[in-house]
Amino acid sequence: MLRGNAHNVHTNVARNVPTFLQFKSYIMKTRGIRNNNPLNIRHSKDRWVGALIEQKDKAFVQFETMAYGYRAAWKTLESYWKYFHDLPKPFNVRNIISRWAPPTENDTENYIRTVLKLSGLGGNENFSQPSRGTNYERLELLIRAMTTMECGTPYKEVDVEAIREGFDLAYPGVRKIKKRIEPKTPVDIGVSILPDTKGTTLDFCWDEYENW
């Protein structure tokens, strides 16, 4: 009888091991990963698409999925492009990181050096407007490296598919059109497809902040 009880105790403990390991795994995840907010976007007046209704983290936004977190990252880069465009100032890695991780809160130079080393990008490499998709692959490398800096996730283990899904959520159809048609000049395909002029079919890069 005692032997049977001991066996039952052992079995019950074994059954609880996966639950314990899942809990331990959750605790060990960094804040950005737990929040599905890989670039650690802070709360602001913006009401993000895909944000959880109940926000338990008082500092950083919590999203339903990692893809929605990356959607917010792409939208934030879009707002940076507009900010630098209006100054005017180059939209490059150095300026992006200096604004994203200012020296008052971060070791900005180390952040920049690490991102450049991981991504292979140039510090003064200029990017076009993110929503146009013309520099999509280069900006994907940037976001991937920034995820490593923000969350500690090894560069090779960053969820690239979530980054791409986030872009598609932010700007539906842009990557598919870019993959199907790779124009050298606007004349190659005409303004009905290329979003270089107000009022064209892909002129949708800005949302009202209520629907970000």
Side-chain angles (χ1 to χ4, degrees):
M1 186 68 177
L2 180 62
R3 183 178 180 181
N5 287 338
H7 175 74
N8 289 337
V9 169
H10 174 76
T11 302
N12 290 335
V13 170
R15 287 174 180 170
N16 288 332
V17 168
T19 301
F20 171 75
L21 291 177
Q22 290 171 359
F23 175 75
K24 183 178 180 182
S25 175
Y26 174 81
I27 294 299
M28 291 179 67
K29 289 180 180 178
T30 59
R31 195 174 189 177
I33 299 300
R34 293 199 303 269
N35 288 341
N36 286 323
N37 183 357
L39 265 57
N40 288 320
I41 294 172
R42 293 182 178 273
H43 287 296
S44 66
K45 67 179 182 180
D46 300 324
R47 295 195 287 274
W48 294 103
V49 171
L52 294 176
I53 295 176
E54 183 181 2
Q55 294 285 319
K56 296 182 179 180
D57 191 315
K58 301 303 181 183
F60 300 99
V61 184
Q62 294 174 298
F63 292 95
E64 296 173 6
T65 65
M66 192 64 72
Y68 276 117
Y70 278 122
R71 177 192 182 280
W74 284 108
K75 285 288 188 177
T76 302
L77 282 181
E78 183 78 8
S79 71
Y80 276 30
W81 177 87
K82 185 177 186 300
Y83 172 81
F84 290 127
H85 181 266
D86 291 344
L87 283 178
K89 196 173 182 179
F91 183 59
N92 57 32
V93 174
R94 179 164 294 279
N95 288 335
I96 291 170
I97 300 300
S98 295
R99 181 170 170 79
W100 194 287
T104 53
E105 302 175 5
N106 305 269
D107 184 347
T108 305
E109 286 303 314
N110 179 64
Y111 197 126
I112 293 171
R113 284 195 302 270
T114 304
V115 164
L116 295 180
K117 182 177 180 179
L118 289 171
S119 66
L121 297 169
N124 296 318
E125 178 178 348
N126 290 322
F127 305 111
S128 61
Q129 189 173 3
S131 61
R132 301 194 185 285
T134 51
N135 291 143
Y136 169 79
E137 290 86 356
R138 308 298 286 171
L139 287 171
E140 180 185 292
L141 297 175
L142 172 63
I143 289 180
R144 188 175 176 181
M146 289 176 70
T147 299
T148 296
M149 287 299 298
E150 295 288 337
C151 297
T153 307
Y155 184 75
K156 292 183 178 180
E157 297 178 15
V158 173
D159 190 347
V160 176
E161 287 305 313
I163 297 176
R164 294 169 183 171
E165 186 179 349
F167 184 89
D168 292 340
L169 286 169
Y171 310 110
V174 172
R175 283 202 309 130
K176 290 182 180 179
I177 291 175
K178 182 178 182 297
K179 186 176 181 180
R180 187 168 68 248
I181 302 174
E182 293 286 351
K184 295 181 180 179
T185 68
V187 178
D188 291 340
I189 59 174
V191 296
S192 62
I193 296 177
L194 192 70
D196 283 337
T197 307
K198 288 291 182 181
T200 58
T201 55
L202 294 185
D203 182 29
F204 51 68
C205 60
W206 290 106
D207 292 337
E208 293 295 332
Y209 78 84
E210 289 88 356
N211 193 37
W212 267 49

